Amino acid sequence: MRNYRVIISENASSDLYAMATYISTLYRVESGHNYVNRILGQLASLSYTADIYQYSKFVTAKKIHPFAKTLSIMNHKWTVVFHIEINYVMIDRFMPSKLMY
């Protein structure tokens, strides 16, 4: 089993910021931060489980990266698009799961 270092791309970071901002407008500022922290906690497991995921068959994910893999998080509300590069797991985007086709 390999261990990877998880890196979040600039686009994915913008997606997380947009999520936190939206949730903060509906509830409290802390709620947005807590939601993002829960997402980051789930992504930490990719450091040792990234190899078990197969390459995605979703067209949307393949447009982001040709060797993209996907992970459904937060009760299947969000899909994480990521790929593996040497010793790194690169998180490319966070997308609503209903937009994956």
Side-chain angles (χ1 to χ4, degrees):
M1 178 188 319
R2 291 184 63 181
N3 282 333
Y4 297 99
R5 185 170 178 190
V6 179
I7 298 176
I8 299 178
S9 72
E10 210 171 296
N11 288 335
S13 181
S14 297
D15 295 340
L16 284 174
Y17 178 76
M19 281 185 235
T21 303
Y22 176 72
I23 291 171
S24 295
T25 60
L26 295 177
Y27 305 105
R28 297 186 320 234
V29 175
E30 298 85 24
S31 299
H33 293 296
N34 291 340
Y35 193 80
V36 170
N37 285 337
R38 284 182 24 213
I39 290 173
L40 294 175
Q42 290 183 356
L43 294 180
S45 68
L46 283 176
S47 66
Y48 54 89
T49 62
D51 285 330
I52 66 170
Y53 296 100
Q54 296 180 356
Y55 293 116
S56 179
K57 296 179 182 174
F58 294 119
V59 174
T60 309
K62 287 183 180 180
K63 286 180 183 178
I64 295 171
H65 193 276
F67 298 109
K69 297 181 177 194
T70 56
L71 170 66
S72 184
I73 60 169
M74 304 304 282
N75 295 326
H76 304 286
K77 292 180 184 174
W78 295 99
T79 299
V80 179
V81 179
F82 67 95
H83 68 277
I84 298 173
E85 286 189 19
I86 308 169
N87 294 326
Y88 301 99
V89 173
M90 177 66 77
I91 307 296
D92 295 311
R93 294 298 304 259
F94 294 93
M95 303 185 70
S97 293
K98 63 183 178 182
L99 295 180
M100 297 304 291
Y101 60 92

